[in-house]
Amino acid sequence: MDGLELLVDLHRSARRQGPGGDDETRLAIRLSGLGDASDVRIADIGCGSGASTLVLASEIDAIVTAVDFVPGFLAELETASEHAGLRDRIRPLNTSMEALPFQDGQFDAIWSEGAIYSMGFANGVRSWRRFLRPGGILAVSELTWLTNDRPPDLQDHWTREYPEVDTAARKLDVLEESGYAPIGYFVLPKHCWMDNYYTPMRGRFRAFLDRNGNSAEAVALVETEEAEISLYERYSEYISYGFYIARRTSTL
Ligand SMILES: C[S@@+](CC[C@H](N)C(=O)[O-])C[C@H]1O[C@@H](n2cnc3c(N)ncnc32)[C@H](O)[C@@H]1O
């Protein structure tokens, strides 16, 4: 297996492929005002196996186009949406977030939890804006510094992994500079990382290594994930995902 296949193998059976929570998706929906709307068209970009997609489709009168470039994650979403009785509201779409086949103004909302980093926050919010109707909602969670100063080893790690990591003030600037009016922001609490993401991942390590014959690549992946988890456990007061909710302005 190559690196991406190993990552998919480790994460495919998980409820979430990144930090987040159903209650936090609901909080973002409340801040967006979408819960009161009808016939809403939403794109959930980088949906993974669709934890947020399922909440969106059950809480909002909406059709949700669920985008991911990993077919195995979308297959998990199809099974889950069938079980939840939501299949007619969810349209899985296997494509890259960098080449979306959408029309201008096609969506009332663009959602993306823990995925926009893949093309970079600024690039993502600028590229996706045209798919929103004027006044449409952008809701994205993004790696965010919680303080202005932070321990050097934490700073070095995340700056290396994701050079765009920054404070909420800077992310809000990017949104305003890119043709959005921010209407809400909150920080994902610790349980979204530990209870919903890292602890279940740790529980899968043994079976993952067995399945992959303890290959050097599989062991290296587990070590990388363990290092990230222990960094988070030490420094959770400095780093989280910020959840940004903004409205597309009509100008620009
Ligand atoms: C950290 S996971 C988050 C998944 C999900 N939103 C969640 O919160 O559980 C990032 C997701 O983005 C997807 N992804 C990464 N790069 C992508 C790209 N260029 N196009 C489409 N999907 C991508 C990955 O396959 C993965 O499912």
Side-chain angles (χ1 to χ4, degrees), residues 222-243:
V222 167
E223 285 173 357
T224 301
E225 299 284 16
E226 272 294 0
E228 185 186 302
I229 297 170
S230 78
L231 201 64
Y232 179 76
E233 286 175 324
R234 267 184 294 149
Y235 294 134
S236 60
E237 74 216 78
Y238 299 98
I239 185 90
S240 188
Y241 273 31
F243 214 131

Side-chain angles (χ1 to χ4, degrees), residues 77-145:
L77 170 57
E78 288 197 63
T79 305
S81 61
E82 186 79 54
H83 284 149
L86 293 168
R87 196 164 182 149
D88 57 338
R89 287 173 169 247
I90 295 174
R91 311 246 158 95
L93 180 64
N94 181 213
T95 193
S96 169
M97 65 173 73
E98 299 186 63
L100 295 167
F102 301 144
Q103 291 165 6
D104 290 0
Q106 185 178 328
F107 291 102
D108 302 297
I110 289 182
W111 212 267
S112 185
E113 297 198 14
I116 198 169
Y117 72 89
S118 178
M119 60 187 289
F121 183 79
N123 184 24
V125 301
R126 283 175 199 141
S127 306
W128 298 346
R129 183 178 181 276
R130 69 187 182 86
F131 304 128
L132 278 175
R133 65 164 172 79
I137 293 292
L138 175 81
V140 293
S141 65
E142 159 81 344
L143 196 71
T144 299
W145 296 129

Side-chain angles (χ1 to χ4, degrees), residues 7-154:
L7 264 178
V8 173
D9 185 48
L10 177 59
H11 291 283
R12 179 176 168 147
S13 63
R15 176 123 205 301
R16 292 187 167 272
Q17 285 74 38
D22 290 0
D23 285 343
E24 287 68 26
T25 301
R26 287 189 196 98
L27 174 55
I29 291 171
R30 272 204 299 287
L31 292 170
S32 75
L34 288 167
D36 300 325
S38 50
D39 290 326
V40 183
R41 300 152 303 164
I42 305 176
D44 185 0
I45 301 178
C47 63
S49 59
S52 57
T53 316
L54 294 164
V55 175
L56 291 166
S58 65
E59 300 278 324
I60 305 173
D61 175 14
I63 298 292
V64 186
T65 302
V67 176
D68 207 282
F69 71 173
V70 173
F73 291 159
L74 294 176
E76 298 291 334
L77 170 57
E78 288 197 63
T79 305
S81 61
E82 186 79 54
H83 284 149
L86 293 168
R87 196 164 182 149
D88 57 338
R89 287 173 169 247
I90 295 174
R91 311 246 158 95
L93 180 64
N94 181 213
T95 193
S96 169
M97 65 173 73
E98 299 186 63
L100 295 167
F102 301 144
Q103 291 165 6
D104 290 0
Q106 185 178 328
F107 291 102
D108 302 297
I110 289 182
W111 212 267
S112 185
E113 297 198 14
I116 198 169
Y117 72 89
S118 178
M119 60 187 289
F121 183 79
N123 184 24
V125 301
R126 283 175 199 141
S127 306
W128 298 346
R129 183 178 181 276
R130 69 187 182 86
F131 304 128
L132 278 175
R133 65 164 172 79
I137 293 292
L138 175 81
V140 293
S141 65
E142 159 81 344
L143 196 71
T144 299
W145 296 129
L146 304 184
T147 56
N148 216 26
D149 295 305
R150 55 209 74 95
D153 50 342
L154 181 71

